[in-house]
Amino acid sequence: MFVSDFRKEFYEVVQNQRVLLFVASDVDSLCACKILQALFQCDHVQYTLVPVSGWQELETAFLEHKEQFHYFILINCGANIDLLDILQPDEDAIFFVCDTHRPVNVVNVYNDTQIKLLIKQDDDLEVPAYDDIFRDEEEDEEHSENERDESEPPEKRTRLEEEIVAQTMKRRERREWEARRRDILFDYEQYEYHGTSSAMVMFDLAWMMSKDLNDMLWWAIVGLTDQWVQDKITQMKYVTDVGVLQRHVSRHNHRDEDEENALSVDCMRISFDLPLKQVKQKFQSMDISLKENLREMIEESANKFGMKDMRMQTFSIHFGFKHKFLASDVVFATMSLMESPEKDSSGTDNFIQALDSLSRSNLDKLYLGLELAKKQLRATQQIIASCLCTNLVISQGPFLYCSLMEGTPDVVLFSKPASLSLLSRHLLKSFVCSTKNRRCKLLPLVMAAPLNVEQGTVTVVGIPPETDSSDRKNFFGRAFEKAAEGTNSQTLHNYFDLSVIELKAEDRSKFLDALVALLS
């Protein structure tokens, strides 16, 4: 069920309890976690933090800890599946789910005892009505009552015939209701999309309790920016949420008057067509003429390439007088730390390092993440250029397809979900701008990259079409499931984003053939 009063129905419930905190491996989740950790530290709430990167880790971690806890908090995982069916918890276990994944599973919505959804209901949820999805089970028919002796009086036989007709009508109504239910659920669950940032939801809770700090506001900004960087929300949704946060920024800066740790709103800078010698320097060291005319130069260059809306409202922060960061740079840095391909570090180690980089006391880790992000950005540019020059993006009919081969330079940087999804989106945008085929401009993209050479697996991601009117809804999650089922392909649907799967390389051909047939 949806929680209407987050403070009373959530925070005051767990405030005096030991809670287990499951956090997904994405930047918005980390930011929401930081805000909740700060609140827990303020009120001395005992908690255990467990990072989870997929459903298997969530199930394993729950089985390991379920005897020790009764209250569980899930951040950016659990809303879009039947959580009780997956975890099989005891009846006294309570789950608080703060998740951006949509659509929300209908069983979670209408379970009013164990599932508590920390989700803003002003989001476009479109949850089906209870009576359209659930129906009380009718009692089994007593066949023995239908068996009558031929010698029964005519009055009894007439009443029996009327009962048979009534039961036949009920069975017909039941079949019609089940058919409508299938259609309603198909329409509701067909597309995957995202709602309000979990970091923003947690900041809203802190604000309602008058415990919001400047750091919490910054984490909410970074969480929202992660959604924009990953193209998870529409531009209208982003602009609306930026406006909400901007009001908090104005309030905080007026209240704190802390010049050393101030938040501000900037325009995101995208620089190109500038002297290489100048762009390799820090901004402060560039020629004064370039710095003063930078915006005009960018807009003039953008017009040459037909690029629109080059300026996007975002935020920056100062830590002292030396350290200034854009929210988008922090997103890239944190993402690079979390999906670091280093073999010596585990997923948990990367998670903790990425979480630490969000604290102002660990700027050395943030700068390390920035260097990793620069390396990944250079690799992104080189791979996209290579894919376009060698025509690796091919049309499969209903979608575009691109596969990165083992041995491609820096391909190891793109085996994880977030980095591969980001590469795929940039590749699709670049392809749409460069191709002359009008039909291909309207197609979605399926991209594969090597995951584990020894096991012969690849990561596959599906990206919706790149159009101005795109609602950011992704249909590949359900399509991948049906294609795998229809061909018995060896797939692993383990990620919380349903449009990302693991696939055995040997099954790639038949899986793609089934996907083509399904979407044609």
Side-chain angles (χ1 to χ4, degrees):
M1 61 174 258
F2 292 109
V3 173
S4 56
D5 188 336
F6 286 15
R7 178 175 184 169
K8 183 177 180 180
E9 299 176 52
F10 163 56
Y11 195 79
E12 292 181 0
V13 171
V14 302
Q15 191 169 359
N16 298 314
Q17 306 289 337
R18 290 181 64 241
V19 297
L20 185 60
L21 184 59
F22 292 117
V23 183
S25 298
D26 63 77
V27 178
D28 179 46
S29 302
L30 265 64
C31 293
C33 176
K34 292 291 288 186
I35 297 173
L36 196 55
Q37 282 181 309
L39 291 174
F40 283 173
Q41 185 177 4
C42 178
D43 293 313
H44 307 289
V45 179
Q46 297 182 21
Y47 70 94
T48 297
L49 171 61
V50 179
V52 288
S53 62
W55 300 116
Q56 288 184 343
E57 287 188 7
L58 178 61
E59 292 180 50
T60 302
F62 177 76
L63 288 174
E64 183 180 344
H65 295 91
K66 69 176 184 178
E67 301 298 333
Q68 307 166 39
F69 299 89
H70 291 298
Y71 293 92
F72 304 86
I73 301 174
L74 289 77
I75 298 181
N76 279 353
C77 55
N80 57 343
I81 55 140
D82 185 348
L83 199 57
L84 299 184
D85 182 58
I86 291 292
L87 299 181
Q88 297 292 316
D90 296 332
E91 292 184 358
D92 59 348
I94 304 296
F95 297 89
F96 293 97
V97 182
C98 180
D99 193 357
T100 69
H101 292 94
R102 306 289 185 269
V104 181
N105 185 275
V106 291
V107 177
N108 294 337
V109 172
Y110 291 111
N111 183 301
D112 57 0
T113 56
Q114 291 184 271
I115 305 295
K116 313 293 183 182
L117 298 171
L118 307 176
I119 291 175
K120 287 192 173 184
Q121 295 193 55
D122 54 358
D123 283 349
D124 189 16
L125 296 174
E126 299 180 352
V127 180
Y130 179 88
D131 292 336
D132 291 336
I133 303 300
F134 300 101
R135 184 169 177 169
D136 295 333
E137 291 294 331
E138 297 177 354
E139 296 182 1
D140 294 335
E141 297 180 8
E142 298 288 344
H143 295 290
S144 58
E145 293 183 2
N146 296 336
E147 296 175 358
R148 303 295 182 183
D149 194 340
E150 292 295 330
S151 60
E152 286 183 339
E155 295 82 2
K156 285 191 175 182
R157 287 203 300 271
T158 302
R159 189 164 59 251
L160 175 61
E161 291 172 356
E162 291 175 352
E163 290 177 358
I164 293 175
V165 171
Q167 290 171 357
T168 303
M169 291 296 294
K170 285 184 178 180
R171 285 195 293 268
R172 180 183 300 173
E173 291 175 0
R174 175 81 182 191
R175 287 194 298 269
E176 292 175 352
W177 178 85
E178 289 176 347
R180 287 197 306 271
R181 180 181 187 272
R182 284 193 298 269
D183 292 340
I184 290 171
L185 283 178
F186 177 80
D187 292 338
Y188 177 64
E189 298 175 345
Q190 183 178 8
Y191 295 102
E192 179 187 16
Y193 60 104
H194 291 265
T196 300
S197 156
S198 292
M200 285 190 65
V201 172
M202 287 300 167
F203 176 77
D204 200 44
L205 170 65
W207 174 60
M208 284 190 293
M209 298 190 299
S210 300
K211 295 180 180 179
D212 54 314
L213 303 174
N214 230 11
D215 283 346
M216 295 183 185
L217 178 54
W218 174 243
W219 293 326
I221 289 169
V222 174
L224 171 62
T225 307
D226 175 56
Q227 288 193 310
W228 172 59
V229 167
Q230 294 282 355
D231 221 17
K232 291 181 177 179
I233 54 177
T234 63
Q235 184 167 336
M236 180 62 70
K237 171 69 173 170
Y238 174 73
V239 171
T240 302
D241 288 348
V242 163
V244 172
L245 291 176
Q246 174 55 35
R247 289 191 288 274
H248 287 295
V249 168
S250 301
R251 178 174 55 85
H252 272 251
N253 284 347
H254 177 72
R255 181 183 66 186
D256 297 339
E257 295 182 356
D258 186 354
E259 293 297 330
E260 293 191 2
N261 300 293
L263 287 160
S264 60
V265 185
D266 285 341
C267 282
M268 185 173 181
R269 294 186 290 272
I270 305 175
S271 43
F272 48 82
D273 206 20
L274 296 172
L276 186 61
K277 181 179 178 180
Q278 293 293 327
V279 297
K280 285 188 174 182
Q281 302 182 70
K282 290 187 176 181
F283 181 75
Q284 294 88 339
S285 304
M286 292 173 61
D287 288 348
I288 296 178
S289 59
L290 287 178
K291 289 193 291 186
E292 291 178 346
N293 301 313
L294 184 60
R295 178 177 295 182
E296 289 76 11
M297 295 175 66
I298 290 176
E299 291 178 348
E300 181 181 347
S301 298
N303 292 331
K304 292 180 182 179
F305 295 98
M307 301 177 71
K308 302 176 181 178
D309 301 324
M310 285 295 295
R311 286 184 287 174
M312 175 61 68
Q313 198 174 32
T314 185
F315 297 86
S316 64
I317 192 169
H318 289 269
F319 293 135
F321 295 102
K322 182 179 180 181
H323 309 287
K324 180 179 180 180
F325 303 98
L326 279 177
S328 54
D329 290 340
V330 175
V331 169
F332 286 118
T334 308
M335 188 192 311
S336 297
L337 288 171
M338 191 158 43
E339 296 198 340
S340 172
E342 296 294 332
K343 294 182 179 180
D344 297 335
S345 58
S346 65
T348 301
D349 293 336
N350 292 340
F351 179 94
I352 294 173
Q353 188 163 354
L355 191 66
D356 288 344
S357 72
L358 291 170
S359 300
R360 68 174 69 192
S361 59
N362 293 313
L363 293 182
D364 54 335
K365 293 184 179 180
L366 181 57
Y367 278 112
L368 173 61
L370 286 172
E371 293 304 315
L372 291 175
K374 291 177 186 177
K375 179 181 178 182
Q376 193 163 41
L377 186 60
R378 287 191 290 267
T380 298
Q381 184 272 328
Q382 292 169 1
I383 288 179
I384 290 176
S386 175
C387 290
L388 295 180
C389 292
T390 56
N391 296 320
L392 285 182
V393 182
I394 57 177
S395 174
Q396 293 280 14
F399 59 87
L400 302 170
Y401 176 69
C402 180
S403 177
L404 300 181
M405 306 303 295
E406 178 63 30
T408 303
D410 294 321
V411 71
V412 68
L413 297 174
F414 303 100
S415 60
K416 302 292 180 64
S419 53
L420 181 59
S421 296
L422 200 57
L423 171 65
S424 303
R425 294 181 192 282
H426 288 313
L427 175 59
L428 182 57
K429 289 179 181 179
S430 300
F431 179 81
V432 167
C433 291
S434 62
T435 185
K436 295 181 180 179
N437 189 320
R438 292 185 178 180
R439 182 177 177 277
C440 287
K441 291 178 181 288
L442 303 176
L443 295 180
L445 172 68
V446 174
M447 191 167 188
L451 176 61
N452 190 312
V453 180
E454 296 177 356
Q455 297 179 3
T457 57
V458 295
T459 303
V460 180
V461 61
I463 304 296
E466 181 61 32
T467 59
D468 293 336
S469 60
S470 175
D471 54 9
R472 302 300 185 266
K473 291 187 176 182
N474 195 326
F475 57 83
F476 276 112
R478 303 301 176 193
F480 285 168
E481 288 180 5
K482 291 185 178 296
E485 290 173 3
T487 58
N488 291 323
S489 297
Q490 301 176 72
T491 58
L492 182 60
H493 304 260
N494 184 46
Y495 297 110
F496 299 126
D497 284 326
L498 303 180
S499 57
V500 185
I501 64 170
E502 295 179 21
L503 172 69
K504 277 286 188 180
E506 62 193 50
D507 292 337
R508 180 165 18 190
S509 296
K510 65 178 183 180
F511 175 81
L512 288 174
D513 290 342
L515 197 60
V516 170
L518 188 65
L519 299 177
S520 295

